[in-house]
Amino acid sequence: EAQVTQNPRYLITVTGKKLTVTCSQNMNHEYMSWYRQDPGLGLRQIYYSMNVEVTDKGDVPEGYKVSRKEKRNFPLILESPSPNQTSLYFCASSLSLAEADTQYFGPGTRLTVL
Amino acid sequence: DQQVKQNSPSLSVQEGRISILNCDYTNSMFDYFLWYKKYPAEGPTFLISISSIKDKNEDGRFTVFLNKSAKHLSLHIVPSQPGDSAVYFCAAFPGSQGNLIFGKGTKLSVKP
């Protein structure tokens, strides 16, 4: 089954404690992306990756890092989480940037930073 | 500055009637527009799209209209069904850049 998986699905942590949210897709997609969804703000792009070893900032990259060492995985790293990073995070992938309409989203990770 | 705007945070419609969700954009370089649907506790799913070279695209009960001169698009759902109750996101694609830009979403409630 074609899918995007994220782990963990729920996480409560404390300020400053480094964490990683994993994202994996099994569709051999080149394009992967991370979004956060906040009430009243909709979906905002954090980082995206056009292919292996190619990443770029989205609209709200501050406080986040990503890596794309292999095609299927695109982890989101919070080196020193802060309460304003409490949010719902979605990973997404598509065959290419041009195939934005077939962008598959993961189920989401609800992060709370105390 | 918000480039994709969905000015109605919520919309309530009776089952069987038409639902019209609106979206405005500011960047004339956007060349592709998409609508996503999101249920609670799930990721968004693609619904329908339209290229800037068209003014209408239809898929079953869903039709998207694009008015480039007004920088406005709308999603029509006819007839609306209770299962359509979800948050709908409008998104715009600038083509040469990497960012798919989303609106804030409109929560549609279809009442039986």
Side-chain angles (χ1 to χ4, degrees):
Chain A
E1 181 192 352
Q3 60 182 354
V4 178
T5 56
Q6 295 178 226
N7 281 293
R9 294 291 314 279
Y10 302 92
L11 179 61
I12 300 175
T13 189
V14 295
T15 299
K17 186 176 180 182
K18 181 180 178 180
L19 67 93
T20 299
V21 184
T22 64
C23 173
S24 183
Q25 49 91 6
N26 62 359
M27 296 166 279
N28 202 35
H29 284 172
E30 290 185 352
Y31 183 79
M32 297 186 74
S33 182
W34 275 103
Y35 298 89
R36 60 179 287 176
Q37 186 191 354
D38 301 291
L41 295 175
L43 280 158
R44 295 179 294 167
Q45 192 176 49
I46 303 170
Y47 268 94
Y48 63 95
S49 169
M50 306 276 270
N51 212 327
V52 175
E53 301 293 1
V54 180
T55 63
D56 211 344
K57 295 177 180 179
D59 296 316
V60 287
E62 294 78 20
Y64 304 95
K65 284 174 57 177
V66 292
S67 70
R68 188 90 183 273
K69 292 186 170 56
E70 47 189 344
K71 205 171 195 178
R72 63 182 296 129
N73 296 323
F74 190 44
L76 180 69
I77 304 155
L78 285 73
E79 294 271 4
S80 182
S82 61
N84 65 11
Q85 292 177 297
T86 293
S87 187
L88 179 58
Y89 291 87
F90 290 102
C91 179
S93 75
S94 60
L95 195 60
S96 68
L97 182 57
E99 302 288 326
D101 54 349
T102 48
Q103 188 165 199
Y104 292 79
F105 283 81
T109 295
R110 186 168 292 281
L111 172 66
T112 302
V113 183
L114 302 174
Chain B
D1 183 31
Q2 218 185 330
Q3 297 189 66
V4 178
K5 300 177 185 178
Q6 292 177 257
N7 291 320
S8 298
S10 64
L11 175 67
S12 184
V13 171
Q14 204 68 31
E15 181 179 6
R17 306 295 289 268
I18 184 171
S19 294
I20 300 176
L21 296 97
N22 293 305
C23 179
D24 296 294
Y25 61 96
T26 58
N27 190 339
S28 58
M29 297 301 291
F30 289 150
D31 63 1
Y32 199 68
F33 303 90
L34 308 93
W35 285 93
Y36 286 83
K37 177 178 173 179
K38 184 186 176 305
Y39 293 116
E42 294 182 15
T45 55
F46 168 72
L47 188 59
I48 192 169
S49 63
I50 188 166
S51 166
S52 61
I53 62 172
K54 294 187 173 183
D55 55 17
K56 177 183 174 181
N57 188 25
E58 195 171 351
D59 183 2
R61 297 185 297 114
F62 303 91
T63 303
V64 56
F65 295 93
L66 175 62
N67 182 335
K68 280 191 296 183
S69 60
K71 295 192 179 70
H72 176 84
L73 63 155
S74 59
L75 174 68
H76 292 212
I77 307 174
V78 183
S80 302
Q81 299 173 354
D84 296 329
S85 297
V87 177
Y88 290 78
F89 290 99
C90 171
F93 188 59
S96 59
Q97 298 180 30
N99 291 357
L100 187 64
I101 300 171
F102 285 85
K104 292 182 179 181
T106 296
K107 184 175 182 180
L108 173 65
S109 299
V110 180
K111 300 189 184 308

